[in-house]
Amino acid sequence: MSLRFSEMCVDALDAAALAHWWSQALGWPVEAAEDDGEWLLRPPAGRGPDWLFLPVPEAKSVKNRIHLDFTPDDQQAEVDRLIALGARHVDIGQGEQPWVVLADPEGNEFCVLAAE
């Protein structure tokens, strides 16, 4: 038996707005997935799983148990760009590290790593 990572689901109060935010952040197209308020991001071939944004009635309330790490060519330029889009710095107890922890508009934490 084998598994293929085909889709990542993201709960959101405003699934459309969060899907569009991540579309801008990643440069991936967004599309309505269903008539029930779901939205989908499809990455370019070979760039990872689809991201499915699902509407839920409750806001995020605790630190993510899984988060995403992104490695840009220029860490500071990417952090600045993401903040301009609406991300914010967050402290999850990371202390002084070479990565930057940000949160998307609904509070989902992710890291922007230093270029390799």
Side-chain angles (χ1 to χ4, degrees), residues 49-102:
D50 292 346
W51 291 27
L52 180 62
F53 293 82
L54 306 164
V56 296
E58 70 279 349
K60 179 182 173 288
S61 60
V62 297
K63 176 183 169 287
N64 294 358
R65 296 297 298 256
I66 294 176
H67 72 266
L68 305 171
D69 289 345
F70 298 96
T71 305
D73 293 331
D74 182 332
Q75 182 188 44
Q76 189 58 55
E78 193 61 23
V79 167
D80 293 345
R81 184 183 76 83
L82 292 165
I83 289 174
L85 288 175
R88 61 183 169 79
H89 286 276
V90 291
D91 182 353
I92 58 170
Q94 69 269 19
E96 288 294 319
Q97 299 295 335
W99 59 83
V100 177
V101 182
L102 298 176

Side-chain angles (χ1 to χ4, degrees), residues 6-17:
S6 58
E7 194 166 78
M8 179 177 72
C9 298
V10 180
D11 289 350
L13 277 174
D14 188 340

